[in-house]
Amino acid sequence: MSVRNAVAVGAAAAAATRAAYRQLRRRPPVEARMWHRTNHAGRGVELYGGLAAAAGAATAMATTRGLTARTRLAAVGAALAAGACGAYDDQKGSPDERGFAAHLTALRGGRLTSGGVKLLGVGAAGLAAGALLKARPLDQLLAGVVVAGAAHAVNLLDVAPGRAAKAVIAVGAPGLLRCGPGALLAAAPLGAAAAVLGDDLCERTMLGDAGAHALGAALGTAVVAANGRLGLLLHAVAVVAMAMAGDRLSSDARLWKAPGVRRLDAWGRLAHPYG
């Protein structure tokens, strides 16, 4: 399986994403006002880019050759389920209830927040994907952590224009060089993220929870498909560490203003003072 095949999958994901984006802008689902937000700079943006990226990545994974039925079901199912949970939180989420601690506290009190729905739904989707992709129980558990954790990690980065999309591209690009289904699965979220990156950087759209979770889950399935137990363990540790860092990862000025990081993070973005 060559890099050319993976690049073709990425191109298909990009084309499907752009087609979905155009359609969503012409005919918004439900009411248009439900998919508009004000970003950190006070600029009005729309959430169609995230919905389109989720649809584009899922379409590419569903239609590409070279994947078994179980792998295809795991990848498409994880991306769509994570995207649906994210879309629910996009619509129902409260800015006063953010982070694992707030949602777990609400659950202990017998109240299910939109973030709790997302936490449980994405976690279940990750475990289901792990059960399809791996045979041994420990590997299935680690795979579930990687898929769900990757979805959460990408969402943590979606606090500045283009940041999450750039992260998906940067993490997915080396995966194209692998042999096997991992390369094809990595290409789909990479192509979808690249297709909306320009609009994201120009603050016309944003990934939102729907797009970030879908692309992260798709990327997580690529990691799972390409790794054995040791690789799964290392990636699981990494995503758990990112989850524990939480908001500090999103906004730590020392990280995002480090010389090399700052230049890459700011590339292509409008001149606004993001952290």
Side-chain angles (χ1 to χ4, degrees):
M1 192 173 296
S2 67
V3 175
R4 183 180 299 177
N5 293 22
V7 171
V9 174
T17 298
R18 292 307 301 180
Y21 184 51
R22 289 192 296 270
Q23 180 62 24
L24 285 166
R25 296 191 74 187
R26 282 198 299 266
R27 293 189 174 184
V30 195
E31 297 181 41
R33 63 178 179 81
M34 295 175 60
W35 304 100
H36 287 259
R37 296 292 185 274
T38 300
N39 67 11
H40 289 249
R43 186 183 180 96
V45 296
E46 60 195 25
L47 295 173
Y48 304 139
L51 299 176
T59 298
M61 293 186 295
T63 57
T64 188
R65 297 178 180 179
L67 300 176
T68 66
R70 290 175 69 89
T71 299
R72 194 185 310 277
L73 178 60
V76 175
L80 291 180
C85 291
Y88 180 78
D89 196 39
D90 280 332
Q91 296 302 319
K92 303 295 184 180
S94 168
D96 298 326
E97 293 181 315
R98 296 291 182 184
F100 281 127
H103 302 312
L104 290 176
T105 299
L107 284 173
R108 284 197 296 268
R111 186 168 57 88
L112 183 61
T113 64
S114 61
V117 170
K118 185 174 64 176
L119 180 65
L120 296 174
V122 175
L127 291 173
L132 288 167
L133 291 169
K134 298 297 179 181
R136 298 179 181 274
L138 179 56
D139 294 338
Q140 292 173 343
L141 177 61
L142 290 172
V145 172
V146 170
V147 174
H152 179 64
V154 173
N155 189 54
L156 283 174
L157 298 178
D158 191 34
V159 296
R163 183 177 290 175
K166 288 177 186 176
V168 170
I169 294 169
V171 174
L176 303 185
L177 303 178
R178 289 183 175 272
C179 296
L184 299 179
L185 294 179
L190 189 159
V196 296
L197 178 60
D199 292 272
D200 194 349
L201 288 168
C202 292
E203 302 181 40
R204 285 188 289 269
T205 193
M206 61 186 293
L207 291 180
D209 280 20
H213 277 87
L215 294 181
L219 201 57
T221 59
V223 171
V224 170
N227 282 275
R229 180 169 296 175
L230 179 58
L232 290 176
L233 178 60
L234 293 175
H235 282 90
V237 169
V239 296
V240 169
M242 292 178 71
M244 292 177 65
D247 291 339
R248 286 175 293 172
L249 178 67
S250 303
S251 59
D252 191 332
R254 291 171 299 177
L255 170 62
W256 297 108
K257 290 184 179 179
V261 175
R262 181 173 184 172
R263 176 170 294 187
L264 179 61
D265 184 47
W267 174 81
R269 187 181 296 156
L270 299 178
H272 290 315
Y274 292 95

